[in-house]
Amino acid sequence: MQISDCIFCQIAQGKIPSETVYEDDGLIAFKDINPLAPVHLVVIPKIHLRSLNDVTPENEPLIGHLLGVIRRLAEELGVAESGYRVVTNTGTDGGQVVGHLHFHLLGGQALNARIG
Ligand code: AMP
Ligand code: ZN
């Protein structure tokens, strides 16, 4: 399923340009347009899932693959040893702005440990 007015679906379809760092049949990883750390990627499934709440058992292999890709990207970008953070904001209280499931990969500096 793709939603025509969803910005991340449009990135997944190549209709909006992005600084893509990884892509396969199921996923795309690109640089966040407003980076909050020296390494700040957004990693998304290409299918339109609104948030983690939309993930079904059927999607779980895809999400497992996505986390494996994040782990490899962290290594390739040189932050695996120094450390990094993977965040998926979910819903209003979670601070989710873009309504297409995405995971932030943040690293390259000591991140503020504060939550909320
Ligand atoms: P969230 O608050 O988790 O929904 O975060 C959405 C993220 O998407 C923010 O960090 C934005 O900077 C990022 N973002 C929005 N539009 C784009 C875009 N066209 N290309 C890259 N990143 C984007
Ligand atoms: Zn979408």
Side-chain angles (χ1 to χ4, degrees), residues 1-20 28 30-34 42-50 96-102 104:
M1 180 178 42
Q2 307 290 338
I3 307 289
S4 59
D5 62 355
C6 168
I7 190 166
F8 284 178
C9 280
Q10 291 181 59
I11 286 176
Q13 292 164 12
K15 290 179 180 163
I16 290 181
S18 70
E19 283 195 71
T20 304
I28 183 165
F30 51 90
K31 292 186 181 174
D32 196 291
I33 204 166
N34 181 27
V42 177
V43 187
I44 66 168
K46 288 185 172 177
I47 55 166
H48 183 83
L49 301 169
R50 286 169 297 178
Q96 184 177 6
V97 173
V98 177
H100 179 128
L101 176 63
H102 56 279
H104 298 259

Side-chain angles (χ1 to χ4, degrees), residues 78-106:
V79 298
E81 286 303 315
S82 51
Y84 57 94
R85 184 172 295 162
V86 180
V87 176
T88 182
N89 297 323
T90 303
T92 307
D93 284 359
Q96 184 177 6
V97 173
V98 177
H100 179 128
L101 176 63
H102 56 279
F103 292 75
H104 298 259
L105 167 58
L106 296 145

Side-chain angles (χ1 to χ4, degrees), residues 21-22 29 39-41 43 66-86 104-108:
V21 297
Y22 174 84
V39 171
H40 188 173
L41 300 184
V43 187
L66 184 149
L67 285 173
V69 165
I70 287 177
R71 185 188 62 72
R72 287 197 290 278
L73 288 171
E75 212 166 290
E76 285 170 24
L77 294 168
V79 298
E81 286 303 315
S82 51
Y84 57 94
R85 184 172 295 162
V86 180
H104 298 259
L105 167 58
L106 296 145

